[in-house]
Amino acid sequence: MARVIAVSTNKGGVLKTSISVNLAGVLSKEGKRILIIDTDNQGNVLLSFGRNPDDVDRSIYNILVEGLSAKEAIIKDVYKNIDVLPSNDDMTFFEFDVLTKIKQYPEPFSMLKNKLREVESLYDYIIIDTPPNLGLTQGNVLTTADEILIPFQPENYSMRSLVKILSAINSFKNDHNPSLRVLGVVATLVDLRTILHSEVIQECRRYCYENNVKMLETVIPRAIRYANSVAYEGLPATLTTKNNQLVQAYIDLRNEIH
């Protein structure tokens, strides 16, 4: 049975997609079979592998709203050992389409979980990339996941965002997924040369310690390597480069959450 990890927080621009695809890259090199599920309407997971999500005819939206089977929408072998269940602009309408016809969807928070039952045995890991908000999409992710990995950018107001997402996860867990656990909080876009980043990370570590939440030792540095690898090579950095600070950070992350 697959280990299901969601990369989730209610803040945008904190490397959720980067973590999802680069972690998948590290795992794929170990021979693990990976399914990356994109639940964000921007469709950046597929873009990370050099493909246009707007060209996709079958996406997670078709699975959730129209009843398509997961097997029919999964794109096989975007890279060796990596499959993708893509998303695109159709997901913009997901919550509206479901909530305005709620009688057609008796288990609105279990739609994704129910659909994955037919494919979860095919993979070692399922990694879910999420949108930067809390709503029906996020609810489906939290019902489906075994573990949540929370990216944390050490900037002003980040602690407030972290407190909110942890509170939301705990509340949702109690009602819908008692086995859900926080895998850890990982600092992203970090420049330890700045006093602010160092201070905010230490504040985060104190908060996590006091609230029995794991703050990972791994930090993901601020770097342009990921953007360059996608732009010029059509692949995540962990599938294109060796002996690089950013790639090593994702290897460290994989080792720490093993």
Side-chain angles (χ1 to χ4, degrees):
M1 195 67 68
R3 181 179 178 185
V4 184
I5 301 173
V7 183
S8 179
T9 187
N10 58 330
K11 191 174 184 297
V14 294
L15 301 188
K16 290 190 295 293
T17 301
S18 300
I19 291 173
S20 299
V21 299
N22 279 292
L23 186 56
V26 175
L27 291 165
S28 73
K29 287 184 175 181
E30 299 174 3
K32 306 296 185 183
R33 285 291 302 167
I34 317 298
L35 173 64
I36 310 175
I37 300 175
D38 194 349
T39 63
D40 190 347
N41 68 289
Q42 295 183 76
N44 286 335
V45 167
L46 212 52
L47 284 172
S48 300
F49 292 91
R51 304 193 187 192
N52 187 348
D54 294 331
D55 294 336
V56 169
D57 294 325
R58 299 170 177 176
S59 70
I60 189 168
Y61 174 88
N62 304 104
I63 288 175
L64 298 177
V65 177
E66 299 175 0
L68 195 72
S69 73
K71 289 182 179 179
E72 293 179 271
I74 289 173
I75 299 175
K76 296 282 190 179
D77 297 317
V78 296
Y79 193 84
K80 184 179 179 181
N81 295 326
I82 300 177
D83 296 347
V84 170
L85 177 49
S87 181
N88 54 29
D89 282 342
D90 289 344
M91 274 301 283
T92 305
F93 305 99
F94 169 62
E95 296 197 11
F96 179 83
D97 289 343
V98 172
L99 295 177
T100 55
K101 302 173 184 176
I102 193 64
K103 291 183 179 179
Q104 296 181 24
Y105 307 99
E107 296 181 291
F109 288 125
S110 299
M111 298 165 70
L112 179 59
K113 182 176 182 178
N114 293 338
K115 283 296 184 179
L116 287 184
R117 284 175 179 154
E118 63 176 301
V119 298
E120 58 186 352
S121 63
L122 303 177
Y123 300 97
D124 299 301
Y125 288 83
I126 296 175
I127 299 174
I128 308 177
D129 186 26
T130 62
N133 53 55
L134 297 173
L136 184 58
T137 301
Q138 195 72 254
N140 270 270
V141 171
L142 296 181
T143 302
T144 303
D146 301 317
E147 301 160 294
I148 304 291
L149 181 61
I150 303 175
F152 175 83
Q153 183 181 6
E155 301 285 0
N156 289 329
Y157 310 116
S158 293
M159 282 303 303
R160 183 169 180 265
S161 179
L162 177 63
V163 171
K164 283 191 172 185
I165 189 65
L166 287 171
S167 175
I169 289 171
N170 286 332
S171 296
F172 194 89
K173 170 183 176 178
N174 292 336
D175 293 333
H176 299 281
N177 186 3
S179 62
L180 179 67
R181 73 184 188 96
V182 175
L183 179 57
V185 176
V186 57
T188 65
L189 296 168
V190 174
D191 184 351
L192 290 176
R193 295 172 300 179
T194 67
I195 295 174
L196 174 63
H197 282 201
S198 297
E199 289 179 344
V200 175
I201 287 175
Q202 289 307 312
E203 181 185 0
C204 183
R205 289 194 186 282
R206 284 194 298 271
Y207 176 83
C208 288
Y209 177 78
E210 291 169 359
N211 290 274
N212 199 30
V213 175
K214 185 174 183 180
M215 175 79 176
L216 302 179
E217 295 298 324
T218 302
V219 298
I220 309 299
R222 185 186 298 276
I224 63 169
R225 176 61 207 175
Y226 171 74
N228 285 346
S229 68
V230 171
Y232 297 116
E233 301 175 66
L235 286 171
T238 52
L239 294 174
T240 61
T241 306
K242 295 181 179 179
N243 302 320
N244 174 278
Q245 181 187 15
L246 180 62
V247 172
Q248 185 59 51
Y250 286 116
I251 294 172
D252 293 343
L253 176 62
R254 186 273 180 273
N255 292 336
E256 193 170 1
I257 68 175
H258 179 58

